[in-house]
Each structure stands twice: as C-alpha cells, then as structure tokens.
Amino acid sequence: MENWYVPITIVPGIGLLLMSTSNLLGQLSGEIKDLIKSHTNYQNLLHRKLIQLKLLNLAMVFLYASVAFFVISGLIAGVYQSVHSMHDDVPIYFSVAGIFCCLGALTLLIIFSFRAVQIKQDQFNPNS
C-alpha cells in the first residue's frame, strides 16, 4: 500500500458525520426530555424516540470504529513503507473494516431518517 495517507484522508469526512450525528443525538435527547417533563400521555411516542436514540448511538459507535480502523490502516501502511518487513495486505484489511463500519453507520442513519419523518408525522398529526 504505497499511499499510506489515503485512509487517513477519509477521517475528516467521517468526523463531519460524527458531528452531525451528535447534533441529532442532542436534539433528540432534548425532545425526549421535553416529553418526559410534559407528563402527557405520549408513552408510545416516547418509546419510539428512545429506540431512535439507541439507533443514533449505535451509528456513532460504528463511525468511531470506522475512524479507528482508518487511522490504524494508515499507521500500519506508513510503518510498512519504512520497514518493508510486514505483509502488504494488512493495511487493506483495516481499510475494508473501516469501510464496512462506515457503511453500517450510514445504513443506520438512513433508517433513523426514515423513522424520524414518520415519528414527526405521527407526533403532529391530530388524527393519529
């Protein structure tokens, strides 16, 4: 792997995903807090929002793991380039693991987005 810096250049993009996901997490936590304070009969809505919170948390775990794999990949590839004693495929395995973690997180965020729209529609629709 000659371009040891390639996996590390992906990290800022994932950092932006982490930042936006943490903002979503904060907003959702605030909504849950408001629902609990209002003491109204929103148990079903509250339960659905708590599931959404878990989904966001899991997505963030995958994003953090993805960053870790990409950094490890770049580090191993950089060391390999200076030492030339290890197998060349090792950094690629870590890059692939990082890609899979990132794809898993993106899948969870897509699911979150679809569910969030449905929850908001149910929350503000007086007929449901």
Side-chain angles (χ1 to χ4, degrees), residues 32-76:
I32 290 171
K33 184 178 173 182
D34 291 342
L35 276 176
I36 291 172
K37 277 185 182 178
S38 68
H39 297 293
T40 55
N41 195 10
Y42 286 127
Q43 294 299 357
N44 183 33
L45 183 63
L46 185 60
H47 177 71
R48 289 168 66 190
K49 285 188 182 261
L50 287 171
I51 291 172
Q52 288 288 88
L53 194 65
K54 268 188 190 176
L55 199 61
L56 276 180
N57 190 32
L58 187 58
M60 287 187 69
V61 167
F62 276 118
L63 288 172
Y64 282 125
S66 177
V67 167
F69 283 126
F70 283 127
V71 169
I72 290 169
S73 172
L75 181 67
I76 290 173

Side-chain angles (χ1 to χ4, degrees), residues 1-4 75-91:
M1 186 177 211
E2 291 179 27
N3 298 326
W4 61 268
L75 181 67
I76 290 173
V79 168
Y80 168 76
Q81 196 171 26
S82 63
V83 174
H84 295 294
S85 64
M86 79 174 80
H87 198 283
D88 193 23
D89 291 341
V90 174

Side-chain angles (χ1 to χ4, degrees), residues 98-128:
I99 290 167
F100 279 123
C101 283
C102 191
L103 284 174
L106 290 172
T107 302
L108 292 172
L109 289 171
I110 289 168
I111 292 168
F112 167 81
S113 297
F114 279 120
R115 287 183 181 175
V117 169
Q118 186 62 46
I119 290 172
K120 286 293 183 190
Q121 285 175 345
D122 292 346
Q123 182 178 1
F124 296 116
N125 186 0
N127 298 329
S128 58

